[in-house]
Amino acid sequence: MRGTEFLPVSREEMRAREWYYYDFLVVMADAYIDHPSFGSTLIARLLEAEGYRVAVLAQPDWHDCTPFTDMGKPRFGVFIGGGNLDSMVAHYTVAKRRRDKDLYSPGGKMGCRPDRATIVYANRAREAFGSGTPIIIGGLEASLRRFAHYDYWDDKVRRPILFDAPADLLVYGMGETATKEIARRLSKKVPVEDITDVRGTAFLSQNAEKCIYRPVTVPSYESVLEDKKAYALATKLQYDENDPIRGCGVVQPCQGRFLIVNPPQRPLPREELDRLYDLPFVREVHPMYKEPVPAIEEVRFSIAHNRGCFGGCNFCALTFHQGRMVTSRSIESVLREAEILTKDPQFKGYIHDVGGPTANFRHASCPGQKKHGCCKNRSCLAPEPCKNLDADHSEYTELLRRLRALPGVKKVFVRSGIRYDYMLQDKNQEFFKELVDYHISGQLKVAPEHCVASVLDYMGKPHFDVFERFWRKYQRLNEADHKEQYLVPYLMSSHPGCTLRDSVRLAEFLHRTGHLPEQVQDFYPTPGTLSTCMYYTGIDPRDMTEVYVARSPHEKALQRALLQWGRKDLRPLVIEALEKAERTDLIGYEEKCLIRPQKGEKYFGKKPEEPPAPQRREQGRGGNFRHKRPENPGQKGKMPQRKKDAFAKKRRGK
């Protein structure tokens, strides 16, 4: 169902509804877009569906508490969401430079929300409403910062966020179930300090015995601040217990009090997930904004069909936020949303994405996961797929087929990340073929990230031979259908465990395959990931072994430059990197060389005689992977006619 009415954003709009009180205030760090892709909007609509009067305060001026007091005091409490991105990630690049745009704000303008938005908004709400109003924080920012955590921007370990945000409760993960239960109890006048047993929540206590679940105590804030081994151990324990079936409560002492984190909530069952996405979202930006909010365009004609990810990438925060247990919407629910899209006047027949954290996951990774939870110390996919892995794309294939058949739909794209290693484990290759035939807009994006096995092990990714098998199969399918479609690989530099020599090996592979990336992602140490723990401590928390870490901006620049060796502006960095890696054999005239010497350089010399270069893969548009088309034997050794015509035309012009 498509709604026609936004939630009230001011006291005037509440009066227009003849509301002279309201129950909950939902504070958003993003602009108010009434669409299910935005977590705070989902929570607001869920509370409304439970029968509560809900008002929205989106990106309020945080310099004083006036915007909060202007809304009036809610009867039951305030829910605060830090936005679809951590506010520091939204504001700063990996080089810690201020970004030019905030896609979640009107006009893409920066400055519509503060750094560390959850903490700032919680303080303003407490100033406005006093200690008698319950404040609950949630969303990605709060979820990933629930424990003592390394903060890349401050370059130090910060306390659990509840010590800085004066809130009564923290909801972590996908918070619908916990939010409903908290709202129900608050509406029954249960004191917020007595709500200590809800799964998927965290709170502060003077007494560790307040944890009613079997507790696991992790090293204290003071310990992880002083001892990096203690930090790594704490991270491992936190990940071990982040399971809704076998997980325990986690207790972390901090400055005379205790952070108590209850075990995670179970994922929403399919029926409840369907009900959530059937709520009456307007699917538009609120009309109070005079400028468009760019973020809507990314999701306006996209559909999220799943949650959770058992991919296990160590640099990704999804494991710690959404969890490893995958759940998905029914085909009928997704079709209902697609039919809503087809009735939008702006719809041109193209569904831009049917995805989620990982597009091709629809169910738990194995049958035993639902009963016993996810395995400790074991990834479902890397470095080798688990023997119990249930790799089945049949339901996802059926979903895409039925979407393609809807009246008004011309094309259905899959643009979210896919796990190609999971695809290769499926004995039925129908999905792979249909993906190539119907669901690619000229480019398929995948994430091999690197080619060196040791680096991939630190990343939690499959080894590179898996990507090469996928690549060959992808090429064969395209050639069989006479399609010219590209593969766009995401690559990462400077991940913990990656040395200059490892980066050289990746550059050699890219050079050999005729690929020159336009963009390379530097590793970004975001809160709450295993890779961030490695970056800060130099320790792999999974086995407590030492890890090499490139920390200095200059070394990061050297690694990144190696992967973009063809850029003239990066030439000095590439030469320096090759010298430091003792690989100056790659500066020269041979086919294997990354760069040619220039006059005045010490490597400059006479070009040696070279044998004819072997046929190699050609660089496609934008540096993407493609096969070189076979040469026409009739034209071998001759100038093509089109080139002759071009030269003749040029001469006539002169």
Side-chain angles (χ1 to χ4, degrees):
M1 180 172 65
R2 182 166 192 154
T4 58
E5 192 172 36
F6 290 89
L7 294 167
V9 297
S10 65
R11 193 178 292 191
E12 290 71 24
E13 289 190 8
M14 287 186 260
R15 286 173 181 156
R17 296 186 179 205
E18 297 186 350
W19 289 7
Y20 297 99
Y21 68 87
Y22 73 107
D23 298 320
F24 290 105
L25 178 64
V26 175
V27 182
M28 303 178 177
D30 298 331
Y32 178 24
I33 303 176
D34 202 76
H35 190 283
S37 292
F38 298 86
S40 296
T41 301
L42 267 177
I43 292 299
R45 285 296 183 187
L46 175 69
L47 290 170
E48 179 193 44
E50 292 296 304
Y52 302 109
R53 293 183 176 184
V54 182
V56 166
L57 183 59
Q59 294 188 327
D61 184 345
W62 68 91
H63 294 94
D64 61 43
C65 63
T66 302
F68 292 82
T69 55
D70 286 348
M71 295 295 290
K73 189 174 182 178
R75 285 207 301 168
F76 301 138
V78 179
F79 287 92
I80 297 174
N84 271 21
L85 293 177
D86 183 281
S87 58
M88 300 302 285
V89 175
H91 285 171
Y92 299 95
T93 69
V94 66
K96 300 185 183 180
R97 297 191 186 96
R98 190 82 169 172
R99 296 190 192 274
D100 296 325
K101 291 184 178 180
D102 181 348
L103 301 181
Y104 294 88
S105 296
K109 292 179 180 177
M110 294 293 291
C112 295
R113 55 175 155 185
D115 289 354
R116 311 191 191 283
T118 302
I119 294 173
V120 175
Y121 290 152
N123 276 281
R124 296 295 88 80
R126 184 61 75 203
E127 291 173 21
F129 304 130
S131 59
T133 299
I135 296 176
I136 300 93
I137 59 175
L140 185 74
E141 185 167 85
S143 185
L144 299 182
R145 295 173 179 271
R146 59 189 184 267
F147 293 101
H149 56 281
Y150 171 70
D151 185 89
Y152 174 65
W153 303 273
D154 280 352
D155 193 24
K156 70 177 186 181
V157 175
R158 291 181 65 97
R159 302 183 299 178
I161 193 171
L162 277 172
F163 281 81
D164 295 317
D168 300 286
L169 284 172
L170 181 153
V171 175
Y172 70 90
M174 308 307 282
E176 292 88 4
T177 303
T179 296
K180 282 199 300 184
E181 180 60 19
I182 292 167
R184 185 187 70 79
R185 295 194 196 182
L186 291 176
S187 69
K188 298 292 184 184
K189 305 299 183 183
V190 176
V192 69
E193 58 268 20
D194 292 342
I195 305 176
T196 58
D197 62 330
V198 178
R199 282 176 165 265
T201 65
F203 61 94
L204 299 181
S205 175
Q206 298 287 347
N207 186 353
E209 293 178 1
K210 275 280 191 177
C211 182
I212 68 165
Y213 298 94
R214 185 162 60 91
V216 170
T217 300
V218 303
S220 67
Y221 163 70
E222 289 82 0
S223 296
V224 301
L225 184 65
E226 298 296 331
D227 184 355
K228 291 184 177 180
K229 285 186 178 179
Y231 187 102
L233 176 61
T235 300
K236 182 182 186 303
L237 292 172
Q238 291 156 15
Y239 267 76
D240 284 349
E241 303 308 327
N242 190 43
D243 188 276
I245 304 222
R246 57 167 178 74
C248 299
V250 179
V251 178
Q252 185 170 46
C254 179
Q255 297 179 335
R257 290 189 286 172
F258 299 89
L259 170 73
I260 297 177
V261 180
N262 292 331
Q265 283 280 354
R266 284 179 175 262
L268 285 180
R270 177 166 284 188
E271 312 78 53
E272 291 190 31
L273 201 55
D274 288 354
R275 197 174 304 120
L276 183 65
Y277 280 84
D278 282 341
L279 294 177
F281 299 96
V282 180
R283 297 178 171 272
E284 280 292 348
V285 178
H286 194 282
M288 65 180 166
Y289 302 115
K290 296 179 181 178
E291 296 178 281
V293 180
I296 184 65
E297 301 309 325
E298 290 294 317
V299 299
R300 186 187 294 279
F301 300 121
S302 297
I303 300 174
H305 75 93
N306 65 6
R307 282 183 172 184
C309 181
F310 53 79
C313 299
N314 292 333
F315 51 79
C316 179
L318 283 173
T319 299
F320 211 46
H321 181 57
Q322 294 196 17
R324 289 170 60 187
M325 296 187 71
V326 171
T327 185
S328 59
R329 298 163 61 187
S330 68
I331 290 178
E332 290 71 24
S333 171
V334 176
L335 290 173
R336 285 195 296 271
E337 184 170 356
E339 288 170 354
I340 291 172
L341 300 187
T342 63
K343 295 172 184 175
D344 190 309
Q346 300 180 62
F347 185 67
K348 305 299 182 185
Y350 300 97
I351 296 177
H352 296 162
D353 188 25
V354 183
T358 297
N360 56 323
F361 290 171
R362 286 282 294 171
H363 52 78
S365 62
C366 71
Q369 202 178 73
K370 294 181 180 179
K371 183 177 180 181
H372 304 293
C374 301
C375 300
K376 280 188 183 182
N377 305 318
R378 179 72 174 89
S379 170
C380 300
L381 288 168
E384 298 289 339
C386 176
K387 63 181 181 179
N388 298 317
L389 183 70
D390 179 17
D392 181 4
H393 291 82
S394 57
E395 190 182 40
Y396 190 40
T397 305
E398 176 65 18
L399 168 60
L400 294 172
R401 285 173 180 167
R402 291 181 64 179
L403 286 169
R404 295 199 307 264
L406 283 177
V409 173
K410 297 176 183 176
K411 189 89 171 178
V412 180
F413 296 115
V414 176
R415 287 178 173 159
S416 297
I418 61 166
R419 283 300 293 242
Y420 54 82
D421 47 348
Y422 182 73
M423 285 176 63
L424 293 176
Q425 291 299 306
D426 191 346
K427 294 178 181 178
N428 183 343
Q429 292 294 295
E430 283 186 357
F431 170 67
F432 203 160
K433 188 175 187 311
E434 294 199 11
L435 178 71
V436 170
D437 287 347
Y438 301 111
H439 302 293
I440 297 174
S441 58
Q443 297 178 339
L444 177 63
K445 298 177 181 179
V446 292
E449 304 294 359
H450 216 281
C451 69
V452 178
S454 60
V455 178
L456 291 166
D457 287 341
Y458 286 121
M459 291 179 169
K461 300 287 290 185
H463 287 181
F464 200 64
D465 61 306
V466 181
F467 170 70
E468 291 181 305
R469 279 195 288 123
F470 170 79
W471 183 13
R472 288 192 294 269
K473 188 169 184 62
Y474 178 74
Q475 289 167 334
R476 287 197 298 270
L477 288 172
N478 277 289
E479 288 167 359
D481 290 340
H482 306 289
K483 291 179 179 289
E484 190 173 345
Q485 297 186 133
Y486 303 97
L487 204 59
V488 181
Y490 289 128
L491 303 169
M492 185 181 293
S493 62
S494 307
H495 187 277
C498 183
T499 66
L500 268 180
R501 294 185 73 87
D502 293 328
S503 295
V504 170
R505 289 175 62 185
L506 180 54
E508 286 183 285
F509 166 78
L510 296 172
H511 177 66
R512 186 169 64 251
T513 54
H515 179 72
L516 185 60
E518 291 181 345
Q519 291 184 328
V520 173
Q521 175 62 54
D522 254 357
F523 168 65
Y524 201 154
T526 54
T529 71
L530 290 174
S531 295
T532 297
C533 174
M534 295 181 207
Y535 175 85
Y536 170 61
T537 64
I539 299 170
D540 184 341
R542 297 170 298 177
D543 57 12
M544 303 300 286
T545 56
E546 290 187 8
V547 183
Y548 173 80
V549 179
R551 287 194 181 87
S552 76
H554 186 64
E555 185 175 353
K556 288 182 179 183
L558 292 177
Q559 289 201 24
R560 186 171 60 251
L562 281 168
L563 307 189
Q564 298 178 295
W565 72 90
R567 283 178 45 179
K568 292 181 180 179
D569 59 319
L570 298 178
R571 182 181 178 86
L573 289 174
V574 175
I575 292 175
E576 181 184 348
L578 292 174
E579 289 175 342
K580 287 189 173 182
E582 299 180 343
R583 290 300 309 274
T584 55
D585 59 302
L586 297 178
I587 306 171
Y589 303 101
E590 297 177 53
E591 179 67 20
K592 70 172 185 176
C593 293
L594 296 180
I595 57 176
R596 300 287 185 263
Q598 292 181 351
K599 192 172 182 179
E601 292 179 344
K602 61 183 177 181
Y603 302 102
F604 183 73
K606 185 178 178 181
K607 182 177 179 180
E609 293 293 327
E610 294 185 49
Q615 181 175 322
R616 56 181 290 190
R617 294 183 185 95
E618 187 181 61
Q619 183 178 317
R621 292 180 303 189
N624 306 329
F625 289 127
R626 58 172 273 198
H627 255 322
K628 185 174 182 179
R629 290 181 173 174
E631 238 176 12
N632 185 341
Q635 291 290 327
K636 192 171 183 180
K638 299 179 181 179
M639 180 182 290
Q641 187 62 43
R642 58 183 177 80
K643 286 195 175 182
K644 290 182 180 179
D645 294 342
F647 278 123
K649 185 176 180 180
K650 190 174 182 180
R651 290 193 192 98
R652 288 196 299 271
K654 288 183 178 179

